[in-house]
Amino acid sequence: LLVDEAQDYNAFQHAILKKMYPYASFTVLADPRQSVFPGLGLKTEEELLSLYPGCHSTKLECSYRSTGPICALASALTDSKIDYFERGGEIPQVVTGAPAPQLLSDIWDSGELADYQTVGIICSTAVRAEMFFQSLSFPATLLTSPEQVLQSGIVILPAALSKGLEFDAVIADCSDISDPNMLYLLCTRALHRLYLLCEKEIPPVLKRAQQFWHKRGI
């Protein structure tokens, strides 16, 4: 039995799976840093390992998806070091000083996204994703269900539906995010380019990564 995103299942749900498949071998894949549902799931590696006594544990620690600068920022957001391939790319940009829909329009009007086939605009909640979608002046697809077929072009979606997905460029709405795990999730969806929108002041969850920009003279 293969269990993916295992950090999103709580201890009781893992127990049910083991009860339903008493003779199965289990391959359990999890990243506790992507545990973003308050009150649900598992927050640490130790919690997960305790549910499978005697299991063999292997850490997959080298990230291959994103550019070096994006991985470095994701590492600065967490308490654990992330190893990654040093693939060059643009420094992630923090964009602030206006309402988030206006910041999004400014990025679009700049033409910086013109060469990317897939662009993900990721928000904390479905309500906020809908708000962005209604404010757009350019074509995009609103993703509201995991059953929807992911389209090329611009996709707007809540964080909960972004797990396992990747985009050439990501515009992450950080305006109301306080959970470092959620911000980590949003940042690591980007392959090549990352924008972080902050509607008002930069939230504390992002300020904890200030050394990332300081090291790069920004």
Side-chain angles (χ1 to χ4, degrees):
L1 187 70
L2 174 64
V3 184
D4 196 10
E5 301 289 358
Q7 75 279 350
D8 292 335
Y9 296 85
N10 60 34
F12 182 63
Q13 291 168 317
H14 280 275
I16 290 176
L17 288 174
K18 292 194 291 182
K19 184 73 172 178
M20 292 176 64
Y21 302 97
Y23 304 110
S25 61
F26 279 67
T27 299
V28 182
L29 305 176
D31 183 355
R33 290 169 298 200
Q34 294 188 40
S35 180
V36 297
F37 301 111
L40 298 176
L42 306 171
K43 302 300 181 184
T44 67
E45 177 187 351
E46 290 72 24
E47 285 184 87
L48 179 61
L49 293 177
S50 69
L51 302 177
Y52 296 89
C55 68
H56 173 71
S57 174
T58 300
K59 290 186 178 182
L60 306 177
E61 295 183 315
C62 191
S63 176
Y64 61 88
R65 173 187 286 130
S66 308
T67 62
I70 292 173
C71 288
L73 173 59
S75 182
L77 291 168
T78 69
D79 295 326
S80 57
K81 183 180 181 299
I82 300 173
D83 190 18
Y84 53 86
F85 291 106
E86 192 59 69
R87 179 164 63 87
E90 299 285 344
I91 302 296
Q93 295 183 33
V94 176
V95 186
T96 188
Q102 181 60 53
L103 298 174
L104 175 59
S105 295
D106 292 344
I107 294 172
W108 174 257
D109 292 340
S110 72
E112 295 178 359
L113 300 176
D115 295 332
Y116 296 113
Q117 291 188 340
T118 57
V119 177
I121 302 170
I122 312 179
C123 308
S124 58
T125 64
V127 171
R128 196 155 178 86
E130 173 71 26
M131 181 272 291
F132 267 91
F133 181 71
Q134 296 298 334
S135 70
L136 290 184
S137 58
F138 49 87
T141 300
L142 177 64
L143 196 67
T144 59
S145 166
E147 280 74 40
Q148 279 182 255
V149 177
L150 188 64
Q151 304 290 330
S152 60
I154 301 174
V155 178
I156 301 178
L157 67 164
L161 295 182
S162 71
K163 290 193 173 190
L165 301 183
E166 58 186 35
F167 302 91
D168 291 330
V170 164
I171 302 173
D173 176 31
C174 306
S175 303
D176 62 344
I177 291 179
S178 58
D179 182 356
N181 284 346
M182 180 174 288
L183 188 53
Y184 167 85
L185 170 66
L186 269 57
C187 290
T188 53
R189 301 308 94 197
L191 290 170
H192 310 294
R193 197 72 183 265
L194 175 63
Y195 300 86
L196 304 166
L197 304 186
C198 301
E199 195 165 50
K200 298 177 182 177
E201 62 181 23
I202 298 175
V205 67
L206 186 54
K207 287 182 178 179
R208 68 185 292 177
Q210 283 181 329
Q211 70 271 20
F212 166 80
W213 285 281
H214 290 165
K215 290 179 180 178
R216 289 156 179 80
I218 300 174

